[in-house]
Amino acid sequence: MPNNLFDEFFQAEARMFLLATIRIALAEDGSDLTSQGLFTDSDMAQAMIVAKQRTVVAGLPIIPLVLEFGGQECQVHLNVDDGETVSEGTMVAAIQGPASQLLKAERVMLNFLCHLSGIANLTAQYVQALKGTKTTLLDTRKTLPGLRFPEKYAVLAGGGKNHRLTLSDMLMLKDNHIDRAGSITEAVRQLQTVHSPCPPIEVECRTLEEVEEACKCDIKRIMLDNMDAETAKTALSMVPDTIETEISGNVSLETIRDIAGIGPDFISVGKLTHSAPSSDFSMQFVPLR
């Protein structure tokens, strides 16, 4: 997957949020008094970033963005593209610049790379589990505050799809909306009255009665929330072809293929972002050439 996916994704507000997060991450570390005490600005160094395990890679283009905040120009060569699977020991990037700048940026660069690669790696496993089915894997909004866009980008790098980036991408009626509005029908009516044109609407259904009611409304998608397999299978048979279907809740690598077997268009998995183990990378100094 070429790194132009990164440039396509991180535009406008997505890029603004990413740069703000990088700035905050560097600020959290404060001044690197250790490196400042050991090296001058003219002490140049060369480093390589190496994968310490087999993993899908995501977040490599963030490395030069982090280094740009250091004030002096660094040379960065990315040896692989985001979305590629690398083996243990692969040098994924080479960097040259002031030693103090590389050391100041080291942990921030690795934190992004390890976290996002972990998400991409787990996503790729779920995508593989769905191979050959008609079901598309989606992420959720269960992301770390401030990292919504990088984490959802990592899902794309792993082969998954984004559910929605912001609350305005799709209007989603969840249990609290429906309970407060009084019914699914009334909630949909209010949304379509207030918003003109009205964005697509998705309705989260907890029971077969709610599915029956939602099917009578002008909506784009029905989500079956935390239903057992038999109930979900019955619910899917009730939904007309004009309405998309999504299953969410209690999905794991062990169960996702069986869930896909009952025929939903989408399965959304919160674990992709909130529970993905970080991949392991390290930065190592090497002699200057």
Side-chain angles (χ1 to χ4, degrees):
M1 182 176 298
N3 282 331
N4 58 12
L5 172 68
F6 185 90
D7 294 328
E8 292 171 0
F9 185 90
F10 285 105
Q11 298 187 35
E13 67 175 4
R15 187 174 182 85
M16 177 190 72
F17 283 124
L18 174 61
L19 294 177
T21 304
I22 293 172
R23 188 180 295 109
I24 290 170
L26 290 167
E28 283 177 332
D29 267 339
S31 297
D32 184 2
L33 299 182
T34 306
S35 297
Q36 291 174 13
L38 294 174
F39 309 106
T40 67
D41 289 345
S42 61
D43 286 330
M44 303 300 289
Q46 184 167 297
M48 59 182 184
I49 294 180
V50 177
K52 299 178 71 175
Q53 66 175 91
R54 178 180 173 83
T55 183
V56 177
V57 178
L60 278 176
I62 294 178
I63 291 173
L65 295 180
V66 174
L67 290 168
E68 285 177 7
F69 283 90
Q72 291 181 261
E73 185 175 352
C74 297
Q75 298 177 17
V76 180
H77 181 75
L78 306 180
N79 294 334
V80 301
D81 290 329
D82 277 1
E84 288 189 34
T85 299
V86 299
S87 58
E88 180 182 354
T90 301
M91 181 175 69
V92 297
I95 311 168
Q96 185 171 320
S100 58
Q101 189 166 329
L102 300 191
L103 290 165
K104 162 72 174 172
E106 176 182 5
R107 180 41 55 192
V108 173
M109 294 187 296
L110 291 177
N111 282 349
F112 275 106
L113 182 60
C114 293
H115 180 54
L116 300 187
S117 295
I119 291 172
N121 197 53
L122 182 61
T123 300
Q125 295 174 46
Y126 275 88
V127 170
Q128 180 62 31
L130 286 175
K131 192 172 183 179
T133 73
K134 73 160 197 171
T135 304
T136 298
L137 177 69
L138 298 177
D139 56 21
T140 71
R141 286 175 50 249
K142 294 178 180 177
T143 55
L144 289 172
L147 288 176
R148 165 76 50 77
F149 288 92
E151 290 183 348
K152 281 184 170 279
Y153 164 76
V155 169
L156 295 181
K161 301 296 182 183
N162 296 149
H163 185 283
R164 53 179 181 163
L165 291 171
T166 70
L167 293 172
S168 61
D169 290 339
M170 178 183 282
L171 308 186
M172 188 168 176
L173 289 170
K174 298 175 72 67
D175 53 359
N176 287 328
H177 298 112
I178 295 166
D179 293 344
R180 180 67 176 174
S183 69
I184 293 171
T185 304
E186 178 59 20
V188 170
R189 187 196 67 78
Q190 288 187 35
L191 289 178
Q192 293 175 337
T193 300
V194 171
H195 300 294
S196 182
C198 186
I201 298 173
E202 177 171 8
V203 177
E204 180 183 277
C205 294
R206 297 160 288 183
T207 65
L208 294 178
E209 290 74 22
E210 288 185 342
V211 172
E212 183 178 15
E213 181 180 1
C215 287
K216 299 175 183 177
C217 299
D218 181 17
I219 59 174
K220 181 178 180 64
R221 187 181 304 170
I222 289 175
M223 174 194 285
L224 309 180
D225 183 49
N226 285 297
M227 289 186 181
D228 62 70
E230 285 305 311
T231 304
K233 188 173 182 179
T234 300
L236 290 175
S237 70
M238 298 166 58
V239 181
D241 293 339
T242 54
I243 299 177
E244 297 173 345
T245 56
E246 176 183 342
I247 288 180
S248 184
N250 298 316
V251 181
S252 68
L253 271 173
E254 292 71 33
T255 63
I256 192 168
R257 191 168 185 87
D258 288 340
I259 294 171
I262 64 176
D265 298 309
F266 303 96
I267 297 177
S268 52
V269 181
K271 291 184 179 72
L272 300 181
T273 50
H274 73 61
S275 296
S278 289
S279 296
D280 197 3
F281 293 85
S282 66
M283 189 179 88
Q284 305 165 9
F285 273 12
V286 294
L288 276 169
R289 295 178 180 176

